Amino acid sequence: MNRIVGIFSILILAASIAFAQGKGEVLIKNATVLTASKGTLTGTDILIRDGKIARIGKGLTAGSGAKVIDATGKFVSPGIIDAHSHSMLSAINEGSLAVTSMTRTRDMLDPNDITIYRALAGGVTSALLLHGSANPIGGQSTTVKFKWGHPVEDYPIADAPLGIKFALGENVKRSSFNPQPGQTFRYPRTRMGTMEVIRDAFRRARDYKQAWDDYRAKKTKVPPRVDEELQPLVEILEGKRLVHCHGYRSDEHLNILRIAEEFGFKVGTLQHGLEAYKIAPEIAKHGAGVSIFTDSWSYKLEAYDAIPYNAYILWKNGVTVSINSDSDERMRRLNLDAAKVMKYGGVPEEDALKMITLNPAKQLGIDKRTGSVEVGKDGDLVIWSEHPFSPYSHPEITMIEGEVYFDRAADIAKRSDLAKEREALEKLDVNRAPGAGGGPPQRPTERRAEERDEAEHGDGGNR
Amino acid sequence: MKSKLVLYAFAAIGLLFGVSVSAQSYAITNAKIVTVSGATIEKGTVVVRDGLIESVGPDARVPADAQVFDGTGLTVYPGFTDAFSNLGLAAPARPTTGGGPGGGGGGQAAAAAAAAQAPSSNSNYPAGLRPEYSTIDDVRAGESQFDANRNAGFTTALSVGRERIFNGQSALIDLAGDSVSEMTVKSPVAMHISFSTIPGQYPGSLLGTFSALRQMFNDARRLDELNKMYAANPKGMKRPEADKSLEALIPVLNRQMTVVFNANQENEIARALDLAKEYNLKAIIAGGQEADKFINRLKSQDVAVLLSLNFPKRTAAANPDADPESLETLRFRANVPKVAGKLAAAGVKFAFQSGGATSVNDFFTSINRSTENGLSKDAAVRAMTLAPAEIFGVSDRMGSVEAGKIANLTVVKGDLFANQRTITHVFVDGKLFEPKAPEPPAGRGPGGRGPQRTDGAASESNGGPANVGGTYSISIQTPDGGITGSLNIVQTGSTLTGTMTTDLGSVPLRDGRVTANGMSFAGTVSVGGQSIDFTVQAAVSGNQLSGSVTSAMGSMPMTGTKNP
C-alpha cells in the first residue's frame, strides 16, 4: 500500500514538474477561437505541445498525459499584450537628469507585485515595461511575459528586441517643477529644449561610436570607456533598439519622427499619441506604430484634442495601432477598450482584437512568437466565458506557453484555504498588533511605495 | 660605558615590565569546552597567555603562574562575533541617504545638507558614491563603549556604517583595547554597498543607483587596464587620470576584495546576485531574511549570508478601519525564523548579525527562535563564532577554541540557549572581563550605541522617562503620496527638542515631551508661503515609530525607524 502511494506521488511530482516547464501537451476542446489573424473558428480544438501551438482543427486528440480542457461554449483569444505598462517596477523614473538611457527597468522588476496576477485575471500575458516620462530620453524598457510564481529571471522575453522610453512635452518640462532655494531648474524646460537634448544626445552617441570604431580599427591606442548612457543610443542608431516615445501633441510627434529620419532610424511606437489622427499619413509613411488609449481625454491640457475616433482614423491610414493601459487597474479591462473601437468608427472585430494582441506584438517585435492563435506560436491563450468584447465576459483560464497562470475555478476554490492560512498567520505573535488605536488606514496606492513619480502623478494619473 | 649600562638597565626594566603585563596567564579548569572546530571537550582546561590560547584539552597543563578559575558548571565558547554592526562608530548627525523622490526637485535641500555634512574629499564622485571611504578611520578608541556587548559575550564585530550607496570598507574589530590599532583584527574586510539613492541628484532613484554602479565598475575596469598599459610603457600615452574612487574598486573587480550587499528582501537579494554575476564579484549578502528563496543561486555563486537577527514583527497598532496586512507580509514574518535552519540544511555559509536591533537580547531571542525552527544548536554557535571568521578570512587566527588562536573566549554558566544566560567571563585578546550583574533589561544593542530603552516597561522599572532620543528615518502618508524625511530628537529628561526634516524643509520642534508609549511634539511648516501648524503623536516600540501628523488639513499616518 505504502509503495503504491509512493509510486503514485512520484508520478504526480513528475507530472507537475513537466507541466511547470511548459512540457507536455494541453488540448483545448471545442472552443470558438478568435485567432486575431485568420478569422474566427467555431467548434475548434487547439493542441499545445511543449509550450507551442502544435495543431488547430476539429476532433484533435492528444497523448494520454495531456491536460484536456473542455471549452464548449467558451471563446479562446490570444493572450492580451499591453504595450505601455509600469507594473512590477520598484522604481519608474530617474528624474535627476535629462538623459537617463543608462537606466534599465530590468533592474527594477518585482515578481511579487500582485498586479501581475490581476493582469493575468484580465487575460494579459505580455507587457512592455517602460521607464517614466520625466526625461526626453528615459530608461531602457523590458518586454516580459507575466509568469507569476516564477523567479524574476523568467519574466523577460529573451529574444524580444531591446527598447527604450523617450518622452516629449508636459511631463518632461515639469520634471524640474519645484526646485528648492539655491537649486536650478533641470534643463530642458521647453518643448524646443527637449528636442535639443535628444539631438545633442545622438550627436554624442555618434562620436562615441566613432571612438570605438577607431579603436577597433587600431587607429587609436587607448580603449574608450564603456558608456552606459551612450551605448543604448548607439543601439538605436544601429536599428537594434526600439524607441517608444511618449507624447501628446502632433507637432511634437512629427518632430521626433523628423529627428529619427535625420539620424537614420525608425521610431518603434508613438506612445499615447492622442493627436496622432491629425498626422496619420505622416506616421504611416515613417512606419512607426501608435499605442493609444481608446477614449480617455481632457485629463490634462495636452489631452484636450483627443477623440475616440483616433484608433479608427489611424487604422484607416494603415498604421499599426495598439491600445494600452498605462495602468495597473485598466490593464485588466483592455478587452473592453478594444471593443470600443468597434463603436467609434466601426473598426471590424478582428482588427479591433488585433489592437490588444497581434498589433502590440508587432510593435514590440515579438509577433513571431505570440499575438495570434497560429501553429508554431507560443501557447499564450485566454479562455473567456463569453466573447471578450462582451462586458459580461471574464477570463476563465489564462495560459502562457501552455502553462496555466490563472484559473478562475482554482482561484475560487483556493480562497477558503487562503482565509484559513491568514487566520493562522494573524494569530502569531509577530503578526499581532501591539495594542489598539492605530492611525487611519493608508490610502490604497496604485503604485509601489518606492515610486514617487511626481511628473506622472501631477497629471492626476499615470498616463 | 656608563651610558651603555644605563641602557641595559632600562632594557631590563622594560623586559620585566613587559613580562608582568603581557604574559598574564589564565587557566579555566574542569570546564566544558565547545571548540567549534573540533569535538566538544566535556571536561577540560583552556590556558590563555599573552593574548593567545596557549593550550586546550582534557589534560592541558595549568602553568604555575596562571590565575586559575574552576570551570565546573561552566562552558567555554569561542568569543561571539556580531558579523555586521556599527560598533565603535559615531552616530551620523543625520541620515545622508534614503529612498528619495525619483523625479523633480524634491529632496534637493536634503541632498544639499547631506553634501554639506559629507567629509570633504577631492573625489570626482558625490558623497554617496565614494568606495574609498574606510570605516576604520572613523572607529573610536576605548573599550568602555563596548561594555554592554562584551557583557553579553561578544568579543568581535564587523563594523561599517550604512549611510550612502557605498557604505565604505568595513573593519573587523575586537571589542577591547585602548587604541584602534589594538582593536583592529582586519581592515579592510570588504566593500559594502546599499541599494539607496542620493536624493535630489543622480542617482535619485534605484534605477539610477544600478546604472551609476555599473558605470563606476566599467570605468574602474578601464582604469586598471590603462594603468597597466602605462606602467608597461608610458611613452606616447597620456597618463591615466588618478582617481581614488575608481582605484578603490579595482580590487573588487579583481575579486581580491569581497562586496557585501545590504539585501534583506527577495528583490534586493535577486538584484545583488545579478549584479555580482554581471561583474563576476565575490559577494556576500547582509540581511538575507529571504535568502532561503535563493538557495541554489547562493550555492552556485558561492555567496555567504550575514543573516540579520533583527526579526520583523508588526509594529503598527490595530485599527478597525485599516485594511488587513498583505498575506505576503504575514508570511514573511512567520518564515524568517526558519531561514537559518534552511540555509544550514542546504549548506549555505552564513553568520549571525544584529541587524541594527536595539536590544542585545534580541540577538539571543532570535537565535532561540531559529533553533526552535530547524536550526541545530551547534550550527547556531558556529554562526556566531567560526562561520564569521571563515567568511571574513580570519579563521586561521580566530573563531574556535584552538591552541595558538587569538584568546577570544566567552564563558557561560548553565545553558547558552536558556532565556536567562549568565556570562561569567569574557576574554578579548587575552584580556579578562568579568560581567558583574545580569544584563540590564534593555542594554545597548549589539549594533546600537548609547543607552536605548526598548519599551515603556523598561522605563517604568527604572522610574525615569523612556529614552526616545535619536535620529529616525520617517515616512508620512499624505493624500498626494508618501513623503520621507528624518526626525532628530534630543531628549533632556522628559523634554524633547530637535528638528523634523522633509521635502518641506527642516523645522524645529516645540512642546516636545515623552509620553506613556512614545512621544509628542508640534511644529510649523511653510507650504507655498503659508504656515501650517502641526502636532505629532507617535508610539515608539523598539526601533519602530508609528503615529500620526495632525494639522488643519487632517491627520496623516507617520511611521519611522530609528537609525542604528
Side-chain angles (χ1 to χ4, degrees):
Chain A
M1 178 65 193
N2 268 343
R3 234 182 84 205
I4 295 170
V5 170
I7 290 167
F8 191 63
S9 54
I10 287 166
L11 282 177
I12 291 174
L13 192 69
S16 61
I17 288 168
F19 193 58
Q21 291 170 340
K23 302 279 186 211
E25 290 184 331
V26 182
L27 180 61
I28 301 168
K29 295 285 290 177
N30 198 28
T32 301
V33 181
L34 309 170
T35 64
S37 58
K38 290 175 179 150
T40 300
L41 312 169
T42 54
T44 296
D45 304 343
I46 302 169
L47 179 67
I48 299 165
R49 187 178 293 137
D50 296 345
K52 298 272 185 194
I53 299 172
R55 291 185 69 191
I56 302 168
K58 291 184 195 287
L60 301 184
T61 54
S64 56
K67 178 187 174 78
V68 180
I69 302 167
D70 179 13
T72 304
K74 322 270 189 207
F75 289 73
V76 173
S77 80
I80 293 172
I81 299 168
D82 189 346
H84 190 129
S85 172
H86 306 290
S87 295
M88 72 177 291
L89 296 178
S90 298
I92 294 170
N93 265 316
E94 173 60 53
S96 58
L97 305 173
V99 179
T100 57
S101 41
M102 65 291 254
T103 65
R104 307 177 186 179
T105 50
R106 169 64 184 88
D107 292 330
M108 292 294 103
L109 300 189
D110 173 8
N112 292 316
D113 187 345
I114 192 64
T115 60
I116 299 165
Y117 185 69
R118 291 173 183 161
L120 288 163
V124 180
T125 53
S126 298
L128 176 65
L129 306 181
L130 289 164
H131 185 275
S133 52
N135 352 59
I137 297 181
Q140 301 166 33
S141 57
T142 312
T143 308
V144 298
K145 286 198 186 182
F146 282 148
K147 295 186 177 175
W148 177 250
H150 281 228
V152 66
E153 56 268 24
D154 288 357
Y155 278 72
I157 301 175
D159 55 4
L162 305 170
I164 191 168
K165 176 77 172 281
F166 279 31
L168 311 171
E170 197 65 20
N171 293 2
V172 176
K173 287 200 307 161
R174 302 192 329 169
S175 287
S176 190
F177 191 58
N178 192 19
Q180 301 292 315
Q183 300 279 327
T184 51
F185 288 99
R186 191 199 75 189
Y187 177 79
R189 293 203 65 210
T190 64
R191 291 170 201 268
M192 75 185 157
T194 302
M195 295 301 164
E196 191 277 336
V197 165
I198 295 172
R199 199 172 263 119
D200 172 69
F202 278 115
R203 290 202 183 112
R204 288 188 289 127
R206 276 207 297 223
D207 290 348
Y208 169 72
K209 184 179 181 308
Q210 189 62 52
W212 271 104
D213 288 348
D214 288 349
Y215 174 72
R216 290 191 178 114
K218 299 204 187 321
K219 286 185 200 165
T220 53
K221 185 179 160 190
V222 176
R225 73 199 290 243
V226 175
D227 194 311
E228 296 285 326
E229 178 198 9
L230 298 178
Q231 190 58 42
L233 304 185
V234 171
E235 288 158 5
I236 296 170
L237 293 173
E238 292 173 341
K240 293 175 192 163
R241 187 177 286 279
L242 297 170
V243 172
H244 302 286
C245 186
H246 161 119
Y248 284 80
R249 281 177 25 177
S250 56
D251 55 340
E252 288 189 295
H253 267 158
L254 277 180
N255 273 336
I256 192 67
L257 297 182
R258 216 175 45 183
I259 288 184
E261 283 159 16
E262 180 183 331
F263 285 91
F265 66 92
K266 199 166 86 176
V267 172
T269 63
L270 301 175
Q271 293 284 340
H272 306 320
L274 270 56
E275 295 183 11
Y277 64 92
K278 297 180 181 176
I279 54 170
E282 288 81 359
I283 296 169
K285 186 167 166 243
H286 178 91
V290 182
S291 192
I292 62 169
F293 308 126
T294 307
D295 60 351
S296 298
W297 64 80
S298 295
Y299 48 86
K300 61 196 271 188
L301 198 61
E302 281 183 327
Y304 272 35
D305 267 11
I307 57 169
Y309 296 88
N310 197 13
Y312 166 75
I313 294 170
L314 290 165
W315 168 78
K316 222 23 190 173
N317 280 275
V319 176
T320 304
V321 187
S322 68
I323 292 163
N324 68 57
S325 77
D326 192 7
S327 154
D328 294 343
E329 190 277 321
R330 295 176 63 105
M331 183 161 48
R332 300 177 293 155
R333 306 165 207 285
L334 280 169
N335 54 316
L336 299 183
D337 275 339
K340 289 177 197 165
V341 302
M342 292 179 70
K343 174 177 168 63
Y344 297 113
V347 174
E349 182 187 305
E350 182 162 274
D351 288 299
L353 182 63
K354 275 184 189 174
M355 291 184 188
I356 52 170
T357 55
L358 190 57
N359 289 1
K362 285 179 180 166
Q363 291 175 345
L364 308 188
I366 53 174
D367 53 312
K368 279 204 176 65
R369 61 157 60 240
T370 188
S372 59
V373 186
E374 289 180 69
V375 171
K377 287 201 178 185
D378 294 347
D380 302 350
L381 302 175
V382 188
I383 303 177
W384 302 82
S385 61
E386 298 179 44
H387 192 293
F389 287 176
S390 159
Y392 302 107
S393 181
H394 56 247
E396 299 208 325
I397 284 177
T398 304
M399 60 175 71
I400 298 172
E401 293 159 21
E403 184 179 345
V404 173
Y405 286 86
F406 172 76
D407 180 334
R408 188 180 162 91
D411 183 283
I412 290 167
K414 210 167 62 182
R415 286 176 198 177
S416 66
D417 286 347
L418 288 175
K420 276 183 207 147
E421 186 192 356
R422 167 177 287 281
E423 202 183 339
L425 285 170
E426 282 177 344
K427 282 183 185 150
L428 297 177
D429 275 349
V430 287
N431 286 329
R432 230 181 265 159
Q442 297 194 355
R443 51 192 280 283
T445 49
E446 193 176 347
R447 297 279 187 77
R448 310 255 85 190
E450 297 111 297
E451 193 273 316
R452 290 177 194 90
D453 180 350
E454 291 175 0
E456 301 283 64
H457 277 273
D459 304 333
N462 51 352
R463 313 259 176 224
Chain B
M1 182 64 199
K2 194 179 167 189
S3 63
K4 233 177 187 176
L5 267 176
V6 173
L7 269 179
Y8 282 141
F10 270 113
I13 291 166
L15 196 65
L16 279 172
F17 193 69
V19 165
S20 64
V21 174
S22 67
Q24 172 68 57
S25 72
Y26 305 94
I28 306 164
T29 57
N30 302 318
K32 180 176 171 182
I33 302 162
V34 179
T35 65
V36 180
S37 56
T40 293
I41 298 162
E42 288 305 325
K43 193 174 178 186
T45 299
V46 184
V47 179
V48 170
R49 183 190 295 278
D50 201 10
L52 300 176
I53 298 168
E54 187 177 76
S55 59
V56 54
D59 308 310
R61 194 184 62 84
V62 177
D65 63 344
Q67 186 181 345
V68 180
F69 301 97
D70 179 10
T72 305
L74 304 183
T75 308
V76 180
Y77 293 94
F80 302 151
T81 296
D82 182 345
F84 190 61
S85 77
N86 53 13
L87 287 171
L89 298 177
R94 44 182 293 174
T96 53
T97 59
Q108 286 176 341
Q117 185 229 312
S120 67
S121 166
N122 53 12
S123 166
N124 297 325
Y125 291 86
L129 288 170
R130 291 181 190 156
E132 70 274 21
Y133 165 66
S134 177
T135 301
I136 200 73
D137 293 343
D138 281 354
V139 170
R140 293 172 302 186
E143 61 193 26
S144 63
Q145 57 181 325
F146 306 124
D147 285 349
N149 309 84
R150 242 182 359 244
N151 287 349
F154 289 92
T155 61
T156 310
L158 186 79
S159 204
V160 67
R162 296 185 190 195
E163 294 79 37
R164 304 172 297 271
I165 296 168
F166 283 111
N167 312 132
Q169 301 172 25
S170 52
L172 191 66
I173 56 171
D174 269 351
L175 303 183
D178 295 327
S179 70
V180 174
S181 308
E182 286 175 77
M183 286 154 56
T184 305
V185 178
K186 184 179 178 181
S187 173
V189 174
M191 180 72 69
H192 288 247
I193 294 178
S194 288
F195 297 136
S196 62
T197 61
I198 309 179
Q201 66 186 82
Y202 176 78
S205 75
L206 271 190
L207 274 161
T209 301
F210 283 83
S211 33
L213 287 172
R214 277 196 187 94
Q215 190 63 63
M216 285 185 80
F217 287 145
N218 293 350
D219 290 346
R221 189 176 276 166
R222 175 171 179 263
L223 181 61
D224 188 25
E225 204 178 319
L226 298 195
N227 282 341
K228 283 175 189 157
M229 283 172 70
Y230 195 72
N233 181 15
K235 289 219 175 80
M237 180 180 167
K238 204 176 162 191
R239 71 176 184 280
E241 273 189 46
D243 188 318
K244 62 183 178 183
S245 296
L246 293 182
E247 275 155 15
L249 288 177
I250 291 173
V252 168
L253 290 164
N254 292 338
R255 293 179 67 88
Q256 290 154 348
M257 185 184 280
T258 308
V259 184
V260 177
F261 290 102
N262 280 335
N264 200 46
Q265 298 199 324
E266 183 179 344
N267 286 337
E268 296 170 313
I269 297 170
R271 288 164 191 163
L273 291 174
D274 285 348
L275 198 62
K277 199 170 177 189
E278 188 177 339
Y279 284 92
N280 189 27
L281 309 175
K282 238 169 95 180
I284 289 175
I285 299 294
Q289 290 185 328
E290 290 191 290
D292 56 327
K293 296 185 178 177
F294 296 91
I295 298 277
N296 291 336
R297 290 196 65 185
L298 290 166
K299 288 180 80 173
S300 70
Q301 289 184 239
D302 193 21
V303 172
V305 177
L306 309 179
L307 185 63
S308 167
L309 290 174
N310 191 3
F311 284 2
K313 51 182 178 278
R314 179 171 171 169
T315 52
N319 179 320
D321 296 333
D323 285 341
E325 292 188 300
S326 76
L327 204 52
E328 200 184 338
T329 303
L330 300 173
R331 283 173 179 160
F332 168 60
R333 294 197 197 111
N335 186 61
V336 167
K338 299 173 188 162
V339 174
K342 290 184 191 174
L343 296 182
V348 174
K349 275 184 257 170
F350 72 99
F352 284 136
Q353 52 121 336
S354 51
T358 48
S359 163
V360 75
N361 273 323
D362 287 355
F363 199 96
F364 295 97
T365 308
S366 296
I367 286 176
N368 285 346
R369 288 187 56 212
S370 299
T371 55
E372 289 156 14
N373 282 280
L375 182 72
S376 73
K377 289 181 177 177
D378 286 349
V381 170
R382 199 169 206 288
M384 52 181 169
T385 55
L386 191 55
E390 285 167 353
I391 291 169
F392 301 140
V394 291
S395 58
D396 54 353
R397 69 208 74 169
M398 65 197 305
S400 59
V401 188
E402 281 181 79
K405 281 195 168 180
I406 293 170
N408 284 354
L409 300 170
T410 297
V411 185
V412 181
K413 185 177 177 185
D415 184 3
L416 173 64
F417 296 92
N419 280 334
Q420 284 299 320
R421 296 162 308 283
T422 308
I423 311 286
T424 57
H425 307 80
V426 178
F427 291 89
V428 184
D429 273 316
K431 183 169 176 181
L432 171 66
F433 297 87
E434 290 177 271
K436 291 285 177 290
E439 297 152 44
R444 189 161 57 173
R449 62 176 66 73
Q452 287 174 336
R453 302 265 153 63
T454 53
D455 51 37
S459 69
E460 280 158 28
S461 65
N462 289 334
N467 187 345
V468 297
T471 305
Y472 297 80
S473 296
I474 54 166
S475 166
I476 301 168
Q477 289 295 317
T478 78
D480 298 320
I483 56 175
T484 55
S486 68
L487 185 60
N488 191 18
I489 301 282
V490 180
Q491 180 169 354
T492 314
S494 59
T495 305
L496 305 179
T497 55
T499 51
M500 185 162 96
T501 306
T502 64
D503 290 355
L504 299 173
S506 186
V507 299
L509 310 182
R510 47 171 205 271
D511 306 335
R513 58 190 176 79
V514 180
T515 60
N517 66 346
M519 63 172 92
S520 71
F521 57 83
T524 305
V525 285
S526 172
V527 181
Q530 190 191 354
S531 288
I532 298 173
D533 293 334
F534 66 88
T535 57
V536 169
Q537 291 278 353
V540 178
S541 172
N543 59 354
Q544 298 295 316
L545 173 151
S546 113
S548 58
V549 185
T550 306
S551 72
M553 334 282 279
S555 185
M556 301 173 290
M558 176 169 104
T559 54
T561 307
K562 195 171 196 165
N563 296 326

